[in-house]
Amino acid sequence: MNFRGYNTDGFYDELFDESGRPRTGAALLIQKIEKLPSGDLVRRQQAAEAAMMNLGITFAVYGDEQGSEKIIPFDIIPRIIEADDWRRIEQGLKQRITALNLFIGDIYGEQKILKDKAIPEDVIRSADSFRKQCVGLKPPKGLWCHITGTDLIRDRDGQIYVLEDNLRCPSGVSYVLENRQLLKRTFPKVFEKSRVRPVDDYANRLVRTLEHLAPDGVADPTTVVLTPGTFNSAYFEHSFLAQQMGVELVEGKDLVVSDGFVMMRTTRGLARVDVIYRRIDDDFIDPRAFREDSMLGVPGLMEVYRNGRVALANAPGAGVADDKVVYAFVPDMIKYYLGEDPILPNVPTYLCWRDEDRQHVLGNLETLVVKSANESGGYGMLIGPASTQQERDDFAEKIKAKPRNFVAQPVVSLSRSPVIVGDHFEGRHVDLRPYVLYGEDIHVMPGGLTRVALRKGSLVVNSSQGGGSKDTWVIDDAPETADVLVTQSQQQSE
């Protein structure tokens, strides 16, 4: 297979420039692919898919009557990010997470940003994810957002925008790590020579981030991953991360509050837990503090947390920053707390609770993307250019009924990257979710999850909506830090 006839169709392509030439970091990969014997690339694709199935790299789709477990579609042609582009992304994410952490601490504390009217108070008070139970909380080390997944997109002109912030339980990092292992086996020599920055140390960095939060005086903290259970769509990831970190994977029924501490039931009796990486939303972590009908959480957990005897990551209440109306004010937060201009801009956003914005949105639904403020995974969304009149009418009624719950954005011509389609390549739209750890310092994983809309022309990249994934190669201009852990046997096999 070769790229003759591959057409960028006027979109920004992650591997080819506007004249059709491979971008600098992609040239070696393109050269290698075009030299492969006939049929070889397809065989490598099939081998990678078989490996994903054998390794049990799966996810669940809620409401899917055909079965609960699927492999996430994976395309072996990596997305490549040049070093200069990545430096800007990394700096922009560090700036953004710093401001978001200050914001969350402020609104559950003194609320200076509201008193100074930098953000309308009603925007926060009306947010479904604002937790009044968290007012006055003092999380360990003053950190609220320890693990963040920020969705980025690139427009037709190459500009990178922040599309969403995910600070509750961002998922997908397990696919990043598994995709990397598969690509190392698929293109070992090209991988080595391309000076790809490593991601394999993520689990070690994650466990160090979590242990940094341990209560004072605990020298050797016990950390656990708290999962809702096997029916959760991200259960594979919960078990994978626990295994990679070498910690216990527990459900709520495995934990109990005793004598003011959180304890884990073991075959040797109760054992104290110091840090909980919880993959359960706020509503369900403690029925005494949040939803009384929750069967997933640990009764009394929040009282132990308030007393500083256990740490939770992310901190309860951090999800207020996931609200898509609050998102629109992040540039204001950066200026307010840091006195800086945002390095990574937001996508321009109309807020339907504003009369003028709402009238514009209702009059232009066919050209806009409308989103529910508290939905994720591609749910609760209208893509105007692809919608029917009935769908637009339905959304108009929803917006009029609850304008606070909706935002709208112009359609961004997402960048594309080549994927294998039968015996040739076609461009498909992609986004990028880098993962950020905030512990002793801020670490941005070099790369992240590239999600790809596999259906031709589609802009919806979510795996729950039929999207797939790619490995993301961040090219390093400092060769000594590149990921060159390629075995001799792997080199010989290419």
Side-chain angles (χ1 to χ4, degrees), residues 98-266:
T98 300
L100 283 169
N101 190 69
L102 292 169
F103 162 73
I104 299 167
D106 187 16
I107 64 157
Y108 289 121
E110 298 182 58
Q111 300 188 339
K112 291 180 179 177
I113 197 168
L114 304 184
K115 293 171 183 172
D116 290 339
K117 302 187 184 307
I119 296 178
E121 183 172 348
D122 190 54
V123 166
I124 305 303
R125 301 291 180 206
S126 61
D128 288 349
S129 50
F130 176 74
R131 298 284 179 266
K132 61 182 180 182
Q133 300 92 330
C134 297
V135 172
L137 277 182
K138 302 290 184 185
K141 312 294 192 294
L143 299 179
W144 294 79
C145 44
H146 317 102
I147 302 106
T148 304
T150 305
D151 293 344
L152 306 178
I153 56 175
R154 193 197 295 266
D155 201 356
R156 192 184 296 266
D157 62 359
Q159 172 68 51
I160 293 171
Y161 294 91
V162 177
L163 184 65
E164 287 185 14
D165 301 290
N166 298 283
L167 289 87
R168 284 181 288 189
C169 303
S171 61
V173 74
S174 58
Y175 304 119
V176 177
L177 302 177
E178 292 287 18
N179 288 353
R180 175 56 52 85
Q181 293 305 313
L182 289 173
L183 259 291
K184 278 185 174 182
R185 292 196 289 269
T186 303
F187 299 115
K189 281 188 177 178
V190 175
F191 187 87
E192 177 185 3
K193 292 178 179 177
S194 294
R195 306 194 310 275
V196 181
R197 289 187 59 181
V199 298
D200 301 336
D201 61 348
Y202 179 82
N204 288 333
R205 288 183 180 275
L206 176 59
V207 76
R208 289 205 301 271
T209 298
L210 296 171
E211 289 178 351
H212 177 68
L213 308 174
D216 293 339
V218 178
D220 186 18
T222 296
T223 300
V224 299
V225 176
L226 176 60
T227 176
T230 57
F231 294 104
N232 185 267
S233 62
Y235 182 74
F236 163 76
E237 177 156 300
H238 305 165
S239 59
F240 176 86
L241 291 176
Q243 186 269 334
Q244 292 290 306
M245 290 192 291
V247 305
E248 294 290 338
L249 177 68
V250 299
E251 298 182 28
K253 62 189 178 186
D254 300 316
L255 303 178
V256 62
V257 171
S258 178
D259 295 329
F261 294 92
V262 176
M263 310 295 284
M264 175 171 51
R265 293 184 172 93
T266 76

Side-chain angles (χ1 to χ4, degrees), residues 12 65-66 90 94 161 173 302 340 419 426 432 490:
Y12 186 98
E65 297 178 354
Q66 302 302 313
E90 187 175 36
K94 287 183 176 180
Y161 294 91
V173 74
M302 283 298 292
E340 302 171 359
V419 302
E426 293 184 9
L432 177 66
Q490 285 174 327

Side-chain angles (χ1 to χ4, degrees), residues 304-414:
V304 182
Y305 180 71
R306 280 184 180 278
N307 292 332
R309 291 179 169 179
V310 71
L312 293 170
N314 285 338
V320 68
D322 282 21
D323 185 293
K324 293 179 177 59
V325 177
V326 174
Y327 151 89
F329 292 93
V330 175
D332 299 295
M333 296 176 200
I334 292 171
K335 292 178 181 174
Y336 181 81
Y337 293 113
L338 306 179
E340 302 171 359
D341 291 326
I343 296 172
L344 297 175
N346 275 11
V347 176
T349 303
Y350 298 99
L351 304 175
C352 292
W353 60 269
R354 289 175 172 162
D355 292 342
E356 184 178 353
D357 285 14
R358 183 171 63 256
Q359 293 308 315
H360 177 82
V361 171
L362 291 173
N364 295 276
L365 283 174
E366 70 279 8
T367 65
L368 298 171
V369 176
V370 182
K371 299 177 179 178
S372 176
N374 294 289
E375 295 277 0
S376 61
Y379 297 103
M381 185 167 70
L382 175 81
I383 299 181
S387 64
T388 64
Q389 185 62 50
Q390 184 61 53
E391 289 170 334
R392 293 194 289 275
D393 291 345
D394 291 345
F395 257 79
E397 292 305 313
K398 292 177 183 176
I399 292 170
K400 292 174 186 174
K402 293 185 177 179
R404 167 61 176 81
N405 283 0
F406 292 92
V407 302
Q409 297 168 330
V411 177
V412 176
S413 300
L414 302 186

Side-chain angles (χ1 to χ4, degrees), residues 247-305:
V247 305
E248 294 290 338
L249 177 68
V250 299
E251 298 182 28
K253 62 189 178 186
D254 300 316
L255 303 178
V256 62
V257 171
S258 178
D259 295 329
F261 294 92
V262 176
M263 310 295 284
M264 175 171 51
R265 293 184 172 93
T266 76
T267 55
R268 299 177 181 176
L270 296 178
R272 179 177 166 179
V273 172
D274 304 297
V275 183
I276 299 175
Y277 178 23
R278 50 99 175 196
R279 297 297 296 257
I280 298 177
D281 282 347
D282 290 346
D283 282 342
F284 302 100
I285 59 173
D286 180 355
R288 293 181 186 169
F290 299 103
R291 282 184 54 162
E292 296 180 357
D293 60 344
S294 172
M295 303 293 286
L296 303 174
V298 184
L301 173 61
M302 283 298 292
E303 183 179 352
V304 182
Y305 180 71

